[in-house]
Amino acid sequence: LVGLLVSTATLWVARKARQSADAAKAESRKRNRAEDLQDARTKSEQIGLFIRDGKWDIVFLRAQEIAGVCSLVLSRWNEDLTETSRNQIVLARAQAGSVAKVAMRASRICPTEQQLLNIAAAQRRLNELLSSELGESLRVIEGSGKVDD
């Protein structure tokens, strides 16, 4: 009887330890996603400065990096994202690709005033999308929101 009680207690402790480990792993994944989004948002802000200064090679590289982070977030955390988050990250990736495309051309041919206005608008939209997703990730980490749709 004592052996059965000890075995049951050991099983209960092992289950609780596993649940704690799983919760810690989920928390770590959420934090990693937020860190990736924070990095992408910072790069998006830098793009705005580099557009202003006409540093098209750097704009191109940063936009490519952001598109890569968006793809990483989509593939690595797809099951944890809401449909709205997925759509916003896909849109952010498209905006980053658009900025990169214009920057590649602009490094060879000076952009017109309208093209500068368009790329600046795309950069602002990219920053808004990334900021929104970063806010959502931080809200989930803080425990005030649900993860699933």
Side-chain angles (χ1 to χ4, degrees):
L1 182 61
V2 172
L4 180 60
L5 288 174
V6 169
S7 296
T8 303
T10 302
L11 181 60
W12 182 81
V13 168
R15 276 197 185 142
K16 288 296 182 185
R18 181 181 173 124
Q19 289 172 349
S20 294
D22 289 345
K25 183 179 175 183
E27 182 69 19
S28 175
R29 286 175 52 82
K30 290 175 193 173
R31 289 190 187 283
N32 287 340
R33 183 173 76 212
E35 288 169 4
D36 285 345
L37 289 168
Q38 174 64 44
D39 181 52
R41 189 178 67 88
T42 299
K43 288 177 180 174
S44 174
E45 291 169 348
Q46 291 171 353
I47 284 176
L49 297 173
F50 295 133
I51 288 170
R52 182 197 66 200
D53 296 341
K55 296 182 178 181
W56 299 109
D57 292 339
I58 300 172
V59 171
F60 175 77
L61 289 172
R62 288 290 189 249
Q64 290 288 84
E65 290 170 347
I66 293 168
V69 168
C70 289
S71 292
L72 174 75
V73 168
L74 288 169
S75 62
R76 188 170 182 193
W77 291 289
N78 187 47
E79 68 277 356
D80 297 334
L81 297 172
T82 64
E83 188 65 30
T84 301
S85 288
R86 251 186 246 94
N87 291 340
Q88 286 194 356
I89 294 170
V90 166
L91 185 54
R93 183 176 58 187
Q95 289 289 319
S98 176
V99 168
K101 185 177 178 181
V102 172
M104 183 181 282
R105 253 183 316 202
S107 66
R108 293 185 311 268
I109 301 168
C110 189
T112 65
E113 186 66 30
Q114 186 59 49
Q115 289 170 326
L116 284 173
L117 291 173
N118 290 345
I119 193 171
Q123 180 273 331
R124 281 190 307 277
R125 180 69 177 133
L126 173 61
N127 197 51
E128 290 168 2
L129 290 164
L130 293 171
S131 293
S132 174
E133 281 311 303
L134 175 59
E136 177 63 19
S137 286
L138 293 173
R139 185 178 69 80
V140 169
I141 288 170
E142 292 165 358
S144 64
K146 63 179 185 143
V147 177
D148 298 332
D149 254 349

